[in-house]
Amino acid sequence: MIIKGGSRAGPRQLAAHLQRTDTNERMEVLELHSGIDDLAATFRDWQTLSEGTRGKKGLYHVNIDPDARYDMTPQQWARAVEVLEQELGLDGQPRAVVLHEKKGRQHIHIVWCRTDLETMTMRSDSNNYLAHERASLKLEREFGHEHVPGKHAKRDRAKQPEFPRADVSHAEHQQAERSGLSTQERRAQLAALKSSCDSGMAFKAAVEETGYVLARGDSKDFVLVGPEGSVYSLSRELKMKAGEARAFMADVDRDALPTASDAKAQQRDRQKDAEPPAFEMQRPPVEDLAPEPETQGEITDAQEQDSGAPELAPAVAAALAAREQAEAEKLAKWHHAELRQLRHVLVLEAREKIDGLRRQQQAERERFIRDGKLSGIEGYIEALQNRLNPGRGAEKRLERETAWKHLHKRQAIERADLRTLLRQDRAEHIAELKERHEQQRRDQQAGFARERIRYAEDSARAARLLAQVEEDRREAERRRQEGRAAEPPPRPAK
């Protein structure tokens, strides 16, 4: 049983993620300790409470993911939440529990409010990884699940003296899903290319022929951009130190290479050029598959052998075309809904960040005005000095006006920088989603092609069996006729 999570903010984005039905086969809210039946509004209220404690992360989000071999009962889910709550020290806090089911596998998300209303303080989240593993270990023993090794409380230091590190990170796992190659397979492929090359230029030509784009990273290192748009560190993929990788690529002009962003754009353009339109099937129309009426029945066995593959009957081809078109339209609608949901979440997230910056800047301006106002004896002395020395007062006013202008200018730059950053984040998130959609469409088209081949082979096999049955029937009929002819004629009656 694996438990992961931590403190966070972003109530709207979290609520939208928990309520997604496009990526989950099933979504059910098991618990919601709130006066309203709305996850987004509840999380927003819990986050607002944290502002009274001067805290920034008013939510604690965690997910419990048992092994797929074990079916959890509702009582076991409730027990898991109870044990984890006690280990984290969040007992008594309002919470929400959401069940997700994906590909027949269930896991739950729990979100707690960290603000203690009695003391108006935030419940501590220190040593939360230890708490996760203690709860996981306790639940595995209680439910009889197989023990999953960990890094902290579930680590046997006698048998596992070195700190365990995953061979593949979560980001690398997602990259492997997008590319269709596991991390080990990709690194083996690149290692084989390197061993066959004696220079950096030869390696550059080899990887680009394979479908990668060699680019320059943000630092001095080289990076590879895969056909699906994922960015890989060259030294990490080749299991070399950074200095060794630079020495191997010394004959490649790094400044002449494209940036990682430009390389990703090149890969997207290649994918678009290599792919047909989104709703166009990768096959000729059904009318082109069907033979002309006057030529039906004239296809000989020799023609079938020359074609290289059996053809579908017109009725079967038409039925397959209709079903494939319906499935393609269904996938396209799903993609459209997922893209619309992502855009909605990104808009809410951007609006929340912009509103936060606006409130922060307004407070800064009010503090500037408040600091410039002197009251009491200090104000009286300041006014008297300005009257006795008008030049000094004018100089102070000019300094204050200049500082005010600088404040406004700096805040305008901050707002512009935030908007630019939000636009870049939005473009990257949408590009990644579209890349995943394109890969799913390619997988669907490949599945359609395999299905058409299978149907054609089954049809040809059935036709051969029918012909064999007919031949056997004619042979049996012929033998029966020959047997009757060989029988002696009946004797005449006396």
Side-chain angles (χ1 to χ4, degrees):
M1 180 175 292
I2 298 175
I3 301 176
K4 291 183 178 181
S7 300
R8 59 162 296 163
R12 292 179 180 175
Q13 189 274 337
L14 178 58
H17 171 69
L18 295 185
Q19 297 180 97
R20 291 185 67 173
T21 56
D22 51 352
T23 57
N24 296 300
E25 300 169 1
R26 178 187 169 202
M27 188 283 295
E28 182 181 356
V29 179
L30 302 180
E31 291 184 33
L32 181 57
H33 298 175
S34 173
I36 53 177
D37 189 17
D38 188 338
L39 278 180
T42 300
F43 293 168
R44 186 175 62 248
D45 292 344
W46 292 353
Q47 177 64 24
T48 303
L49 289 175
S50 67
E51 296 179 1
T53 67
R54 297 186 180 181
K56 295 182 179 179
K57 298 180 179 180
L59 306 174
Y60 193 91
H61 170 224
V62 67
N63 69 292
I64 302 178
D65 192 3
D67 193 284
R69 294 173 295 173
Y70 306 108
D71 293 328
M72 297 281 285
T73 64
Q75 293 77 16
Q76 287 178 325
W77 284 127
R79 176 60 179 163
V81 174
E82 178 186 354
V83 170
L84 180 58
E85 185 175 85
Q86 292 174 354
E87 292 291 344
L88 289 170
L90 293 171
D91 44 305
Q93 291 299 107
R95 71 186 182 216
V97 183
V98 179
L99 172 70
H100 282 176
E101 184 172 347
K102 184 184 298 184
K103 296 181 180 179
R105 182 172 181 175
Q106 293 183 346
H107 65 274
I108 62 171
H109 296 259
I110 311 107
V111 182
W112 282 278
C113 172
R114 290 185 60 204
T115 306
D116 191 329
L117 293 179
E118 295 182 359
T119 61
M120 281 309 294
T121 57
M122 300 276 278
R123 292 287 182 95
S124 174
D125 60 353
S126 60
N127 297 323
N128 60 330
Y129 290 173
L130 286 169
H132 293 169
E133 291 198 5
R134 286 196 303 268
S136 174
L137 181 60
K138 186 174 182 178
L139 293 172
E140 286 171 351
R141 292 172 177 173
E142 186 173 332
F143 298 157
H145 290 189
E146 182 180 349
H147 176 70
V148 179
K151 297 182 179 181
H152 305 285
K154 300 173 72 176
R155 175 183 170 195
D156 187 347
R157 298 179 185 273
K159 298 180 180 178
Q160 196 178 15
E162 297 294 331
F163 191 79
R165 300 190 182 278
D167 295 333
V168 180
S169 65
H170 182 63
E172 290 175 335
H173 174 70
Q174 290 180 325
Q175 287 177 337
E177 286 187 341
R178 289 194 295 267
S179 64
L181 282 176
S182 67
T183 303
Q184 293 78 9
E185 291 172 343
R186 184 182 66 251
R187 290 178 177 174
Q189 178 191 40
L190 294 174
L193 292 176
K194 177 183 176 298
S195 63
S196 63
C197 300
D198 56 356
S199 65
M201 289 299 296
F203 179 73
K204 176 178 180 294
V207 295
E208 290 182 351
E209 185 178 353
T210 309
Y212 296 91
V213 174
L214 183 66
R216 64 177 187 270
D218 296 333
S219 62
K220 297 181 180 180
D221 292 334
F222 295 89
V223 296
L224 290 173
V225 179
E228 76 288 353
S230 299
V231 181
Y232 310 102
S233 170
L234 180 62
S235 58
R236 182 180 300 173
E237 294 301 306
L238 296 179
K239 295 183 178 181
M240 302 170 64
K241 294 182 179 179
E244 295 175 350
R246 295 191 197 106
F248 176 67
M249 303 296 292
D251 58 337
V252 177
D253 185 5
R254 182 178 174 276
D255 295 333
L257 297 176
T259 63
S261 301
D262 294 340
K264 291 174 71 173
Q266 291 180 19
Q267 294 289 32
R268 286 196 294 270
D269 293 340
R270 290 180 183 177
Q271 296 293 340
K272 290 179 182 178
D273 294 340
E275 289 184 10
F279 298 103
E280 183 178 338
M281 308 305 294
Q282 295 183 355
R283 50 175 167 68
V286 177
E287 292 79 5
D288 296 342
L289 289 174
E292 296 296 329
E294 59 271 13
T295 62
Q296 289 183 1
E298 297 180 1
I299 300 178
T300 62
D301 294 339
Q303 289 174 332
E304 288 185 0
Q305 293 175 0
D306 293 339
S307 65
E311 294 191 9
L312 289 171
V316 177
L320 278 177
R323 191 177 72 180
E324 291 172 2
Q325 186 67 27
E327 292 183 4
E329 291 175 356
K330 181 180 178 181
L331 182 63
K333 289 179 181 178
W334 175 37
H335 287 172
H336 178 70
E338 192 172 13
L339 180 60
R340 184 175 57 190
Q341 171 70 11
L342 176 63
R343 285 174 173 164
H344 175 67
V345 170
L346 292 175
V347 167
L348 294 179
E349 219 173 53
R351 189 179 302 164
E352 184 176 355
K353 292 181 180 179
I354 291 174
D355 290 343
L357 179 62
R358 186 180 294 115
R359 289 193 298 269
Q360 177 184 344
Q361 292 183 345
Q362 178 64 27
E364 190 176 4
R365 290 193 296 269
E366 292 175 356
R367 186 168 58 253
F368 182 91
I369 296 172
R370 187 171 58 252
D371 293 344
K373 291 182 179 180
L374 298 178
S375 59
I377 187 64
E378 293 180 353
Y380 175 76
I381 295 173
E382 180 73 15
L384 181 61
Q385 289 177 347
N386 291 337
R387 179 171 293 183
L388 295 175
N389 189 358
R392 176 180 176 278
E395 184 178 350
K396 283 197 169 186
R397 283 194 299 271
L398 180 60
E399 290 177 357
R400 187 162 181 78
E401 290 175 359
T402 303
W404 179 256
K405 290 179 181 178
H406 287 168
L407 175 64
H408 271 269
K409 185 176 180 180
R410 177 173 59 79
Q411 290 186 347
I413 293 174
E414 289 177 355
R415 291 192 296 270
D417 290 344
L418 178 61
R419 291 192 180 94
T420 301
L421 179 61
L422 292 175
R423 282 196 295 269
Q424 292 175 350
D425 290 344
R426 173 188 173 87
E428 289 180 1
H429 281 89
I430 292 177
E432 290 177 359
L433 181 64
K434 288 184 176 179
E435 289 172 8
R436 181 159 58 85
H437 288 172
E438 290 171 359
Q439 182 61 41
Q440 290 173 349
R441 284 195 291 269
R442 289 194 294 271
D443 294 342
Q444 187 187 56
Q445 295 291 338
F448 289 161
R450 290 192 298 269
E451 191 175 39
R452 288 193 295 273
I453 292 174
R454 182 174 61 83
Y455 269 90
E457 292 175 348
D458 290 347
S459 298
R461 191 179 301 111
R464 289 194 298 270
L465 289 175
L466 288 175
Q468 184 64 38
V469 170
E470 181 63 22
E471 180 64 24
D472 293 345
R473 188 190 64 79
R474 287 198 298 266
E475 180 64 20
E477 181 66 23
R478 184 181 61 78
R479 290 179 178 177
R480 190 165 47 252
Q481 294 294 339
E482 290 178 354
R484 289 179 180 177
E487 292 179 0
R491 295 180 180 180
K494 294 182 179 181

mmCIF file of all heavy atoms in Angstrom, residues 286-302:
data_model
loop_
_atom_site.group_PDB
_atom_site.id
_atom_site.type_symbol
_atom_site.label_atom_id
_atom_site.label_comp_id
_atom_site.label_asym_id
_atom_site.label_seq_id
_atom_site.Cartn_x
_atom_site.Cartn_y
_atom_site.Cartn_z
ATOM 1 N N VAL A 286 -14.800 3.368 -48.291
ATOM 2 C CA VAL A 286 -15.388 2.040 -48.479
ATOM 3 C C VAL A 286 -15.725 1.808 -49.945
ATOM 4 O O VAL A 286 -15.597 0.709 -50.474
ATOM 5 C CB VAL A 286 -16.655 1.922 -47.601
ATOM 6 C CG1 VAL A 286 -17.322 0.581 -47.833
ATOM 7 C CG2 VAL A 286 -16.279 2.082 -46.151
ATOM 8 N N GLU A 287 -16.126 2.876 -50.658
ATOM 9 C CA GLU A 287 -16.492 2.710 -52.068
ATOM 10 C C GLU A 287 -15.299 2.243 -52.892
ATOM 11 O O GLU A 287 -15.443 1.510 -53.867
ATOM 12 C CB GLU A 287 -17.024 4.037 -52.628
ATOM 13 C CG GLU A 287 -18.364 4.456 -52.042
ATOM 14 C CD GLU A 287 -18.226 5.079 -50.662
ATOM 15 O OE1 GLU A 287 -17.072 5.261 -50.221
ATOM 16 O OE2 GLU A 287 -19.255 5.350 -50.030
ATOM 17 N N ASP A 288 -14.061 2.699 -52.472
ATOM 18 C CA ASP A 288 -12.880 2.279 -53.218
ATOM 19 C C ASP A 288 -12.477 0.849 -52.913
ATOM 20 O O ASP A 288 -11.808 0.210 -53.705
ATOM 21 C CB ASP A 288 -11.707 3.216 -52.896
ATOM 22 C CG ASP A 288 -11.985 4.640 -53.370
ATOM 23 O OD1 ASP A 288 -12.880 4.798 -54.222
ATOM 24 O OD2 ASP A 288 -11.318 5.574 -52.878
ATOM 25 N N LEU A 289 -12.863 0.352 -51.727
ATOM 26 C CA LEU A 289 -12.530 -1.028 -51.371
ATOM 27 C C LEU A 289 -13.404 -2.019 -52.129
ATOM 28 O O LEU A 289 -12.972 -3.119 -52.429
ATOM 29 C CB LEU A 289 -12.705 -1.239 -49.864
ATOM 30 C CG LEU A 289 -11.674 -0.564 -48.965
ATOM 31 C CD1 LEU A 289 -12.069 -0.756 -47.504
ATOM 32 C CD2 LEU A 289 -10.298 -1.133 -49.214
ATOM 33 N N ALA A 290 -14.642 -1.667 -52.394
ATOM 34 C CA ALA A 290 -15.576 -2.598 -53.027
ATOM 35 C C ALA A 290 -15.306 -2.689 -54.526
ATOM 36 O O ALA A 290 -15.103 -1.666 -55.184
ATOM 37 C CB ALA A 290 -17.008 -2.122 -52.789
ATOM 38 N N PRO A 291 -15.300 -3.880 -55.118
ATOM 39 C CA PRO A 291 -15.092 -3.998 -56.570
ATOM 40 C C PRO A 291 -16.334 -3.541 -57.322
ATOM 41 O O PRO A 291 -17.428 -3.433 -56.762
ATOM 42 C CB PRO A 291 -14.827 -5.492 -56.760
ATOM 43 C CG PRO A 291 -15.469 -6.144 -55.586
ATOM 44 C CD PRO A 291 -15.368 -5.174 -54.447
ATOM 45 N N GLU A 292 -16.132 -3.221 -58.613
ATOM 46 C CA GLU A 292 -17.258 -2.814 -59.439
ATOM 47 C C GLU A 292 -18.238 -3.973 -59.585
ATOM 48 O O GLU A 292 -17.852 -5.137 -59.594
ATOM 49 C CB GLU A 292 -16.745 -2.400 -60.829
ATOM 50 C CG GLU A 292 -15.847 -1.180 -60.803
ATOM 51 C CD GLU A 292 -16.592 0.047 -60.333
ATOM 52 O OE1 GLU A 292 -17.805 0.117 -60.580
ATOM 53 O OE2 GLU A 292 -15.976 0.924 -59.719
ATOM 54 N N PRO A 293 -19.542 -3.681 -59.726
ATOM 55 C CA PRO A 293 -20.545 -4.759 -59.814
ATOM 56 C C PRO A 293 -20.270 -5.726 -60.952
ATOM 57 O O PRO A 293 -20.434 -6.927 -60.807
ATOM 58 C CB PRO A 293 -21.857 -3.992 -60.009
ATOM 59 C CG PRO A 293 -21.593 -2.633 -59.435
ATOM 60 C CD PRO A 293 -20.145 -2.351 -59.700
ATOM 61 N N GLU A 294 -19.825 -5.192 -62.111
ATOM 62 C CA GLU A 294 -19.652 -6.091 -63.233
ATOM 63 C C GLU A 294 -18.395 -6.938 -63.110
ATOM 64 O O GLU A 294 -18.246 -7.924 -63.837
ATOM 65 C CB GLU A 294 -19.590 -5.283 -64.547
ATOM 66 C CG GLU A 294 -18.454 -4.259 -64.586
ATOM 67 C CD GLU A 294 -18.895 -2.926 -64.009
ATOM 68 O OE1 GLU A 294 -19.967 -2.901 -63.379
ATOM 69 O OE2 GLU A 294 -18.177 -1.934 -64.194
ATOM 70 N N THR A 295 -17.471 -6.556 -62.199
ATOM 71 C CA THR A 295 -16.242 -7.339 -62.048
ATOM 72 C C THR A 295 -16.270 -8.228 -60.826
ATOM 73 O O THR A 295 -15.289 -8.926 -60.577
ATOM 74 C CB THR A 295 -15.041 -6.391 -61.943
ATOM 75 O OG1 THR A 295 -15.198 -5.576 -60.793
ATOM 76 C CG2 THR A 295 -14.909 -5.511 -63.183
ATOM 77 N N GLN A 296 -17.358 -8.193 -60.055
ATOM 78 C CA GLN A 296 -17.428 -9.057 -58.882
ATOM 79 C C GLN A 296 -17.448 -10.516 -59.329
ATOM 80 O O GLN A 296 -18.122 -10.876 -60.292
ATOM 81 C CB GLN A 296 -18.677 -8.748 -58.064
ATOM 82 C CG GLN A 296 -18.586 -7.417 -57.349
ATOM 83 C CD GLN A 296 -19.800 -7.180 -56.485
ATOM 84 O OE1 GLN A 296 -20.688 -8.019 -56.419
ATOM 85 N NE2 GLN A 296 -19.821 -6.047 -55.823
ATOM 86 N N GLY A 297 -16.719 -11.349 -58.614
ATOM 87 C CA GLY A 297 -16.659 -12.758 -58.961
ATOM 88 C C GLY A 297 -15.568 -13.096 -59.945
ATOM 89 O O GLY A 297 -15.341 -14.259 -60.238
ATOM 90 N N GLU A 298 -14.869 -12.061 -60.492
ATOM 91 C CA GLU A 298 -13.820 -12.307 -61.466
ATOM 92 C C GLU A 298 -12.425 -12.300 -60.840
ATOM 93 O O GLU A 298 -11.436 -12.387 -61.545
ATOM 94 C CB GLU A 298 -13.871 -11.251 -62.574
ATOM 95 C CG GLU A 298 -15.178 -11.295 -63.372
ATOM 96 C CD GLU A 298 -15.190 -10.236 -64.459
ATOM 97 O OE1 GLU A 298 -14.168 -9.512 -64.567
ATOM 98 O OE2 GLU A 298 -16.179 -10.151 -65.186
ATOM 99 N N ILE A 299 -12.350 -12.101 -59.515
ATOM 100 C CA ILE A 299 -11.050 -12.078 -58.852
ATOM 101 C C ILE A 299 -10.558 -13.509 -58.701
ATOM 102 O O ILE A 299 -11.221 -14.341 -58.099
ATOM 103 C CB ILE A 299 -11.158 -11.401 -57.478
ATOM 104 C CG1 ILE A 299 -11.641 -9.966 -57.654
ATOM 105 C CG2 ILE A 299 -9.833 -11.438 -56.749
ATOM 106 C CD1 ILE A 299 -11.824 -9.241 -56.348
ATOM 107 N N THR A 300 -9.444 -13.815 -59.254
ATOM 108 C CA THR A 300 -8.905 -15.172 -59.240
ATOM 109 C C THR A 300 -8.006 -15.355 -58.039
ATOM 110 O O THR A 300 -7.634 -14.405 -57.356
ATOM 111 C CB THR A 300 -8.102 -15.425 -60.524
ATOM 112 O OG1 THR A 300 -7.004 -14.511 -60.548
ATOM 113 C CG2 THR A 300 -8.966 -15.212 -61.752
ATOM 114 N N ASP A 301 -7.621 -16.634 -57.813
ATOM 115 C CA ASP A 301 -6.711 -16.918 -56.712
ATOM 116 C C ASP A 301 -5.359 -16.254 -56.949
ATOM 117 O O ASP A 301 -4.694 -15.817 -56.001
ATOM 118 C CB ASP A 301 -6.529 -18.429 -56.565
ATOM 119 C CG ASP A 301 -7.811 -19.101 -56.127
ATOM 120 O OD1 ASP A 301 -8.678 -18.403 -55.572
ATOM 121 O OD2 ASP A 301 -7.923 -20.325 -56.336
ATOM 122 N N ALA A 302 -4.933 -16.182 -58.180
ATOM 123 C CA ALA A 302 -3.647 -15.553 -58.472
ATOM 124 C C ALA A 302 -3.665 -14.082 -58.103
ATOM 125 O O ALA A 302 -2.700 -13.538 -57.579
ATOM 126 C CB ALA A 302 -3.302 -15.725 -59.955
#
